[in-house]
Amino acid sequence: MAFKHETPLLDQLESGPWPSFVSDLKRQATHRKENPDNVEYQIDTDCVEDILGVVELSYKEKEVHWKHGGIVGVFGYGGGVIGRYCDQPEQFPGVAHFHTLRVNQPNGKYYTTDYLRRICDLWDFRGSGVMNMHGSTGDIIFLGTRTEQLEEIFYEMTHKMDQDLGGSGSNLRTPSCCLGESRCEWACYNTQELCYQLTHEYQDELHRPAFPYKFKFKFDGCPNGCVAAIARADMSFLGTWRDNIRIDQEAVKAYVGGELPPNGGAHSGRDWGPFDIQKEVIDRCPTQCMWMEGDQLKINDKECNRCMHCINVMPRALRPGEDKGLSILVGAKAPILDGAQMSSMLVPFMKVEEPYDDIKEVIENIWDWWMEEGKNRERLGELIKRQGFQKLLDMTGLKALAQHVQEPRHNPYIFWREEEVPGGFSQDITDFRKRHQR
Amino acid sequence: MATVEFKGKTFEIDEDGFLQSFDDWSPEWVDYVKESEGIKELTDEHRKVIDFLQDYYKKNGIAPMVRILSKVTGFKLKKIYELFPSGPGKGACKMAGLPKPTGCV
């Protein structure tokens, strides 16, 4: 099919084995042109052709062709929609308005085709039909519609599909989680349930920006970090356990005997030789707390730091303990302004029990502090740097533990509270002079 | 950029309906914008928010953080959304004639 714009550069991206976004966009452009279902399109029929056109122009000039910023939304909410306007609206009228809607995804991103068909019908009708599945924070992304359609889409979603928008702006962004207990034997708590419950609990904070800056929650079921909570969330919730790793010695023998492939067969694409438990598990344990006694695998669990390596290598033989919970780490952020951070350990262990009051208490204490003390556009991680980790501990009512640091400070610039120092800070120089002449 | 005329005044605006220049603000602007921001009748409470935003902007050259807006006006965020359904940024700042909020919005 002939399209509105020539796209010689983009056309090259239709070759090669990976699924081509160009071919997909062309297919959607063709679909809108042919309109087999007689949809009464609410935005330009040729908007997808104009996407291809404007992207081709950007490929040619190596510059973006979207204007700065954009403030649109729906009444009642301060976020959820990212406004965008093309800077060549005469040339590409189909994308003169090209707003993005963030739609709160189900946790673990499990869908029925019925649901997906319904959101596709809505989006074909009132938008471009182009999506991201999913945005990196987790939302379903509706890519491209006009301002007049925003309230219409919001009405349809909320009234007919029980579906809400996600977050954007200086607020709680859409929380997300790994798929947890739904199909992983290592999940130490129900990540989907906790993510869902906290998303509901904090709807107000999600829809109406009240914070100094953005704030993200992510929920990992174990330290493997399949949703990367420790790197991409201001508050990272990581599943863990505090009793012993459960060992099935028969299965250990089966691994040693070569009956079970290590790592669930993850390395089967290359010949790494026969499985060597000494080399691949025991010698790789970061705390060196494992050994073989005859054909029995032993673990000194007191020294185990629950890195997951042995469990990852021998999933049929080793399982996380039974006394499960989570760790809370805080402060991760991307580089702007004062450097990238991963989250730092705040709560080493907490049980995960409905109605999650302990977890909510930590969250709300942190918010109270950051909302009061945080500067404009200062992430939690930066406030912790500026005011100190000790201040975070004070504000959350937590005691300092050795687990809070990787190593103690080496510089001696140590602050003391006045009440900790005998005699306090108010001293009289004349008193000092009595004993020390000038 | 689009130009709108309302009650004998002319306003330069962008696609989002924000004034291009704070100096172009006049009371007619508020009347012109209010409907598109879901406001039927302008009350003293609306004016209190608008006045504060303008004073703060004139003094500091930026819009206040939400927390400061709440503290000074005494209106909780919930109340601000009752007054301005699109919120303090898109609703109140637009009506007050402040520049469009920027950043990761």
Side-chain angles (χ1 to χ4, degrees), chain A residues 241-245 301 306 320-324:
Chain A
W241 64 95
R242 58 182 172 184
D243 54 351
N244 296 341
I245 291 176
D301 287 275
R306 299 169 304 283
E322 282 174 312
D323 188 8
K324 295 171 178 172

Side-chain angles (χ1 to χ4, degrees), chain B residues 27-78:
Chain B
E28 288 80 6
W29 169 251
V30 178
D31 268 349
Y32 170 73
V33 175
K34 68 178 187 205
E35 202 189 349
S36 69
E37 290 305 322
I39 298 163
K40 283 206 184 75
E41 227 21 79
L42 214 70
T43 64
D44 287 346
E45 290 178 327
H46 289 103
R47 286 194 194 90
K48 187 175 176 186
V49 172
I50 292 171
D51 287 348
F52 169 67
L53 288 173
Q54 296 190 327
D55 286 347
Y56 192 94
Y57 181 69
K58 282 181 208 157
K59 255 180 231 157
N60 303 292
I62 54 165
M65 290 168 70
V66 170
R67 205 175 65 244
I68 295 167
L69 177 65
S70 286
K71 228 180 225 172
V72 176
T73 58
F75 298 146
K76 293 227 165 77
L77 190 60
K78 191 164 168 280

Side-chain angles (χ1 to χ4, degrees), chain A residues 279-293:
Chain A
K279 188 171 141 216
E280 294 172 43
V281 179
I282 293 171
D283 289 351
R284 291 197 173 270
C285 172
T287 62
Q288 295 290 298
C289 69
M290 307 179 82
W291 70 98
M292 292 297 284
E293 270 179 33

Side-chain angles (χ1 to χ4, degrees), chain A residues 67-68 70-78 81-82 85 168-169 173 207-210 212-214 370-377, chain B residues 1 15-16 18 35-39 62-63 65-67 71 77-78 81 84-90 94 100-105:
Chain A
K67 291 187 185 182
H68 180 73
I71 292 290
V72 290
V74 296
F75 285 151
Y77 288 5
V81 187
I82 295 88
Y85 302 97
S168 73
R173 301 297 183 85
H207 292 307
R208 283 168 284 278
Y213 205 8
K214 64 179 96 168
W370 177 59
M371 285 173 75
E372 190 55 39
E373 296 290 330
K375 292 186 183 177
N376 196 19
R377 294 208 178 136
Chain B
M1 281 305 140
E15 293 91 343
D16 291 318
F18 277 75
E35 202 189 349
S36 69
E37 290 305 322
I39 298 163
I62 54 165
M65 290 168 70
V66 170
R67 205 175 65 244
K71 228 180 225 172
L77 190 60
K78 191 164 168 280
Y81 274 88
F84 299 93
S86 359
K90 182 174 174 288
K94 184 195 279 185
K100 181 154 79 181
T102 58
C104 202
V105 290

Side-chain angles (χ1 to χ4, degrees), chain A residues 327-340:
Chain A
S327 304
I328 303 176
L329 294 86
V330 295
K333 59 177 279 287
I336 290 172
L337 282 166
D338 68 359

Side-chain angles (χ1 to χ4, degrees), chain A residues 177-432:
Chain A
C177 61
C178 72
L179 45 78
E181 291 176 348
S182 70
R183 56 187 186 99
C184 177
E185 64 270 45
W186 300 328
C188 295
Y189 67 97
N190 190 338
T191 56
Q192 291 174 285
E193 180 66 10
L194 182 60
C195 187
Y196 178 79
Q197 293 300 339
L198 293 184
T199 304
H200 276 259
E201 176 80 15
Y202 299 119
Q203 281 289 293
D204 215 28
E205 285 76 6
L206 194 155
H207 292 307
R208 283 168 284 278
F211 292 163
Y213 205 8
K214 64 179 96 168
F215 197 95
K216 299 181 185 181
F217 289 158
K218 280 187 169 51
F219 304 87
D220 273 318
C222 81
N224 280 329
C226 293
V227 71
I230 197 169
R232 310 237 164 89
D234 298 84
M235 274 186 95
S236 321
F237 300 86
L238 269 69
T240 189
W241 64 95
R242 58 182 172 184
D243 54 351
N244 296 341
I245 291 176
R246 288 173 281 171
I247 308 176
D248 174 348
Q249 297 291 359
E250 289 309 308
V252 172
K253 279 181 217 156
Y255 276 106
V256 173
E259 292 145 49
L260 293 171
N263 292 83
H267 305 299
S268 56
R270 192 173 149 187
D271 183 9
W272 294 92
F275 177 63
D276 180 344
I277 194 168
Q278 184 67 35
K279 188 171 141 216
E280 294 172 43
V281 179
I282 293 171
D283 289 351
R284 291 197 173 270
C285 172
T287 62
Q288 295 290 298
C289 69
M290 307 179 82
W291 70 98
M292 292 297 284
E293 270 179 33
D295 57 3
Q296 302 277 298
L297 179 67
K298 299 284 177 187
I299 302 175
N300 177 7
D301 287 275
K302 279 201 161 42
E303 290 301 318
C304 168
N305 64 6
R306 299 169 304 283
C307 77
M308 294 297 293
H309 178 74
C310 58
I311 297 175
N312 288 340
V313 176
M314 303 193 292
R316 298 271 291 271
L318 302 176
R319 297 161 73 194
E322 282 174 312
D323 188 8
K324 295 171 178 172
L326 54 72
S327 304
I328 303 176
L329 294 86
V330 295
K333 59 177 279 287
I336 290 172
L337 282 166
D338 68 359
Q341 288 189 46
M342 301 233 277
S343 284
S344 302
M345 175 65 78
L346 178 65
V347 179
F349 189 88
M350 192 171 257
K351 293 297 278 187
V352 183
E353 285 158 350
E354 284 180 274
Y356 314 114
D357 284 341
D358 292 351
I359 293 170
K360 287 176 192 168
E361 194 185 328
V362 178
I363 293 169
E364 287 164 26
N365 282 337
I366 287 178
W367 280 351
D368 284 349
W369 172 50
W370 177 59
M371 285 173 75
E372 190 55 39
E373 296 290 330
K375 292 186 183 177
N376 196 19
R377 294 208 178 136
E378 181 176 52
R379 292 289 287 268
L380 174 64
E382 292 164 337
L383 175 65
I384 295 170
K385 267 194 179 178
R386 182 163 63 85
Q387 295 203 343
F389 199 87
Q390 181 59 52
K391 180 79 178 183
L392 169 71
L393 294 177
D394 293 345
M395 300 312 288
T396 45
L398 297 166
K399 269 206 182 105
L401 303 166
Q403 289 96 317
H404 283 141
V405 294
Q406 187 166 21
E407 56 184 337
R409 65 192 307 152
H410 298 280
N411 74 55
Y413 304 118
I414 298 168
F415 284 92
W416 299 87
R417 293 193 178 97
E418 186 167 7
E419 62 271 20
E420 293 168 327
V421 182
F425 292 165
S426 302
Q427 315 248 341
D428 188 357
I429 183 77
T430 51
D431 212 37
F432 176 82

